[in-house]
Amino acid sequence: MRKICVIGVGYVGLVTGTCFSDLGNRVTALDINEERIANLRKGILPIYEPGLEEMVKRNVSAGRLSFTTDYDEALEGAEIAFIAVGTPEGVDGEADLKYVRSAAEKIAQHMKEPVIIVNKSTVPVGTGDWVSDIITSSQSKPVSFSVVSCPEFLREGSAIVDFMNPARIVLGSLDKDAAHKVADLHLSLRAPIVVTDLRTAEMIKYASNAFLATKISFINEIANICEALGADVKEVAAGMGYDPRIGRGFLDAGLGYGGSCFPKDVKALAYMATVQGKHPQLLQAVMEINKYQRKQILIKLREMLGGSLKGKTVGLLGLAFKPNTDDMREAPSVEIARAIMTEGGIVKAYDPVAMEHAAHYAPGVQMGSDAYEVATGADALVLITEWNEFKQLDLSRLKSVMKNPVMVDGRNLYDPAVMKNYGFIYRGMGRGYNGR
Ligand code: NAD
Ligand code: UGA
């Protein structure tokens, strides 16, 4: 059992704090957002994440997990303080470090005993050293501390499973004792632990996200070529994936990557490279291909609806950037909905959990209560998010309520031959002559 605190109670901070408390530690989680903390104290979570609500309640009841806005309370007796605040995109594509700066200053002002400061936020290479300088210069009297980088690799929608079963733990620090203390905290997760220097650890995070984004853009480019040549990208990805040097993961062609991380992290890495006088050509191409994938939905809709979307009703199945989350940050649905409305179309949509957030991101979209309501009277449907509940829809019923049985499958969820049999005019992403 260790006493730890987590600064920033968003997707990463809440999952990290809750999972460490579930492993038997005493965790205080702090956020500057008072409403968020007041709600958490009442058992109301700020995010949807499978299994999290139950785990929070269990650990709060057991007295292992508490929430506060008070830095003195959070840091009291804490051996380790995790920073898990947001690092959003800045004006030029750089990571904006204002929240990291304010968290570091507050820790410095309130720490009374030595503490290991572990950075979990995704931060530009060199930030660990910068945080050290901020803490040293913001302390009113010197108290010893160490900075360790411990980037987080969890995915939204499977955050608890990912946190509890990591592929690896990366720890970077000049202070090897501190790194080993943080390693001890992770021992029960039975993952390989990579101990390295601060900058290398920070780079491992960006390189990992950029590589995954590259795989996605690569398969999307292949999908576009498949579409032109009459091959099926789903089968191409399956055939490629058997080679262990390639692997099947992150080879699902579709609308491209969205979410709060890949878009901003690829941009931030390209920015870091450019500032150093390098030319990140591959990263630029990854971003360009990703943008084009969203535009393709509009191109397909226009082609299938006689050239114009004016006055046409398009139903969106799913709004979140991926299933099992209500996160709407950089969700392809937002750009697609806006573009349809700009062209004079009407957009209806249904998502199992993201509609409340989506109303803020995509004003003007009419929300429905299920897939069938959204399909009713629609000129076309677009499958945006591959939620489980869309996998086995009653296709006869869906078709029967539509004005036009047009379906653009942005995630290749359906079988082109089955859709054709049900009478849909169907197009996926890179699916050969029958399901283009
Ligand atoms: P988030 O926006 O969901 O949460 C950040 C929280 O930090 C907010 O609740 C905010 O109020 C709080 N905060 C801001 N400044 C603060 C301060 N000075 N003191 C205390 N709290 C403060 O962010 P997130 O999605 O959890 O991401 C956090 C970091 O983790 C980012 O760097 C992100 O790139 C990285 N990351 C995210 C994921 C993910 O799946 N979301 C996965 C891996 C890494
Ligand atoms: C991603 C990484 O997978 C995590 O390891 C990392 O910790 C996190 O970013 C982060 O740094 O925040 P996340 O964004 O939650 O996690 O979700 P992913 O499952 O990676 O999906 C990201 C986007 O890529 C989604 O829009 C998804 O639809 C898209 N994607 C994913 C594809 O288009 N094709 C694929 O084959 C896989």
Side-chain angles (χ1 to χ4, degrees):
M1 200 281 287
R2 284 193 170 73
K3 166 86 175 55
I4 63 181
C5 76
V6 178
I7 312 294
V9 190
Y11 284 87
V12 169
L14 186 55
V15 172
T16 301
T18 307
C19 288
F20 276 131
S21 67
D22 208 54
L23 292 171
N25 299 290
R26 172 83 186 83
V27 179
T28 309
L30 174 144
D31 205 288
I32 45 169
N33 183 330
E34 290 182 2
E35 190 188 347
R36 187 164 276 212
I37 293 301
N39 279 335
L40 278 162
R41 284 177 169 160
K42 287 187 237 155
I44 303 167
L45 269 60
I47 55 169
Y48 173 82
E49 186 61 45
L52 189 57
E53 189 172 327
E54 188 267 324
M55 198 189 253
V56 167
K57 285 184 177 154
R58 176 153 38 91
N59 286 287
V60 168
S61 302
R64 289 188 295 263
L65 176 64
S66 62
F67 298 100
T68 185
T69 53
D70 180 346
Y71 269 89
D72 281 331
E73 186 186 333
L75 285 163
E76 197 193 342
E79 273 178 69
I80 298 176
F82 284 94
I83 297 180
V85 299
T87 49
E89 189 181 320
V91 276
D92 294 320
E94 79 282 13
D96 183 343
L97 292 177
K98 64 174 180 275
Y99 302 118
V100 176
R101 173 191 281 279
S102 81
E105 285 170 352
K106 289 280 184 207
I107 292 172
Q109 289 155 10
H110 292 268
M111 62 189 275
K112 298 190 176 68
E113 295 158 70
V115 64
I116 300 171
I117 296 153
V118 182
N119 185 33
K120 268 223 163 284
S121 299
T122 303
V123 290
V125 177
T127 302
D129 297 329
W130 177 77
V131 163
S132 253
D133 292 345
I134 291 176
I135 292 177
T136 306
S137 62
S138 308
Q139 286 181 329
S140 50
K141 62 171 196 281
V143 181
S144 68
F145 70 93
S146 296
V147 174
V148 176
S149 164
C150 176
E152 181 52 59
F153 298 97
L154 64 77
R155 288 164 299 176
E156 291 180 22
S158 53
I160 291 178
V161 174
D162 287 351
F163 187 93
M164 292 298 199
N165 303 279
R168 76 304 208 183
I169 301 295
V170 173
L171 299 173
S173 187
L174 284 176
D175 178 345
K176 295 295 170 221
D177 279 352
H180 285 115
K181 280 189 184 141
V182 182
D184 283 350
L185 185 66
H186 292 87
L187 279 186
S188 62
L189 301 178
R190 298 180 182 280
I193 298 181
V194 179
V195 180
T196 181
D197 61 90
L198 263 172
R199 284 172 185 246
T200 303
E202 289 164 344
M203 189 55 160
I204 289 171
K205 174 64 190 175
Y206 277 103
S208 301
N209 273 7
F211 185 77
L212 293 170
T214 303
K215 273 190 102 175
I216 297 170
S217 280
F218 175 84
I219 200 66
N220 281 330
E221 178 141 301
I222 295 294
N224 298 337
I225 302 171
C226 282
E227 208 163 288
L229 296 177
D232 186 331
V233 74
K234 247 188 138 161
E235 290 175 29
V236 170
M240 288 168 65
Y242 285 112
D243 185 331
R245 293 170 303 172
I246 297 174
R248 177 62 186 84
F250 282 72
L251 286 182
D252 290 325
L255 295 174
Y257 57 82
S260 67
C261 291
F262 286 171
K264 82 166 167 65
D265 291 346
V266 177
K267 248 187 230 167
L269 182 56
Y271 178 88
M272 276 181 251
T274 308
V275 167
Q276 296 303 322
K278 304 293 171 198
H279 303 289
Q281 303 162 62
L282 179 59
L283 300 179
Q284 297 296 353
V286 166
M287 291 188 275
E288 236 173 77
I289 293 168
N290 200 54
K291 258 193 215 153
Y292 178 64
Q293 288 312 107
R294 298 173 187 198
K295 292 207 175 85
Q296 279 204 61
I297 297 297
L298 274 291
I299 297 171
K300 284 176 198 264
L301 280 173
R302 281 189 220 108
E303 275 175 20
M304 294 165 89
L305 293 176
S308 165
L309 301 184
K310 198 166 180 355
K312 299 281 176 10
T313 301
V314 180
L316 306 184
L317 301 184
L319 289 161
F321 84 98
K322 62 178 282 189
N324 298 320
T325 180
D326 59 354
D327 199 342
M328 285 295 297
R329 291 178 286 186
E330 296 281 336
S333 61
V334 175
E335 209 175 309
I336 292 167
R338 278 196 200 131
I340 296 169
M341 291 188 285
T342 305
E343 291 192 24
I346 297 147
V347 180
K348 291 168 47 173
Y350 165 71
D351 186 285
V353 301
M355 288 196 290
E356 206 179 310
H357 284 180
H360 161 73
Y361 280 87
V365 173
Q366 299 170 21
M367 302 296 176
S369 59
D370 63 16
Y372 305 101
E373 193 186 322
V374 161
T376 302
D379 293 282
L381 284 177
V382 182
L383 189 286
I384 299 270
T385 319
E386 65 278 33
W387 283 95
N388 267 345
E389 71 173 74
F390 298 143
K391 288 182 180 163
Q392 294 189 352
L393 289 172
D394 178 343
L395 293 172
S396 306
R397 183 177 162 206
L398 200 68
K399 179 178 171 262
S400 71
V401 296
M402 291 179 74
K403 191 166 156 198
N404 249 334
V406 166
M407 162 79 83
V408 181
D409 182 354
R411 299 288 181 184
N412 290 339
L413 189 66
Y414 303 112
D415 181 334
V418 170
M419 295 305 280
K420 205 172 159 199
N421 282 344
Y422 275 94
F424 280 92
I425 304 161
Y426 171 87
R427 292 198 45 191
M429 307 291 280
R431 312 231 36 207
Y433 290 120
N434 291 327
R436 289 186 303 154

